[in-house]
Amino acid sequence: QVQLVESGGDSVQAGGSLRLSCVVSRFTRYMGWFRQAPGKDPEGIALLKDNGAITYADSVKGRFIILKDNGKTTLYLDMHNLKPEDTAKYYCAADNSRGFVLGRIPTYTWRGQGTQVTVSS
């Protein structure tokens, strides 16, 4: 079993930055972030594998950074140049076997409760 607790969501203006944190009970092979806006399907946006491989969705590439602190067992998502279309509830998720595929992050075995990000224009 893996426990994940997100924090850091807030309301910001377009162009701003936020750091989301996800404290985990332990890291797994695949650690990722996905988001879901009202009325939309969940979107996997950033994924980190235990060998250091990283991939991003095109919608956030160049603006978001996924990283982890092994000492604090915390996964982060640094978000820059935020846009109104980034408004969503953000979740971190973990799995050991579902693969290094962004689209699978929402189906990962373990996830947190989510944290809301709202970007105003």
Side-chain angles (χ1 to χ4, degrees):
Q1 190 75 346
V2 179
Q3 286 79 44
L4 306 96
V5 180
E6 303 98 334
S7 62
D10 205 345
S11 296
V12 297
Q13 290 196 327
S17 298
L18 280 176
R19 165 172 272 200
L20 304 184
S21 300
C22 175
V23 177
V24 304
S25 55
R26 62 180 175 88
F27 287 120
T28 59
R29 188 174 188 192
Y30 307 105
M31 301 291 304
W33 291 89
F34 73 95
R35 64 187 181 186
Q36 187 164 22
K40 294 190 175 181
D41 291 334
E43 178 190 16
I45 56 172
L47 180 52
L48 173 64
K49 191 177 177 183
D50 58 359
N51 67 356
I54 292 174
T55 188
Y56 297 99
D58 288 344
S59 58
V60 306
K61 197 174 296 182
R63 301 188 298 123
F64 290 12
I65 300 171
I66 185 171
L67 64 157
K68 68 178 184 178
D69 185 325
N70 290 323
K72 296 181 179 180
T73 57
T74 301
L75 184 73
Y76 299 100
L77 185 68
D78 283 344
M79 306 187 294
H80 303 285
N81 189 23
L82 283 161
K83 305 175 181 180
E85 52 264 41
D86 294 319
T87 295
K89 194 165 188 180
Y90 285 70
Y91 301 83
C92 60
D95 204 275
N96 284 316
S97 60
R98 290 182 187 259
F100 191 66
V101 179
L102 286 168
R104 294 183 187 168
I105 299 175
T107 70
Y108 278 5
T109 302
W110 301 286
R111 65 166 67 176
Q113 81 289 351
T115 186
Q116 179 67 37
V117 173
T118 302
V119 185
S120 58
S121 57

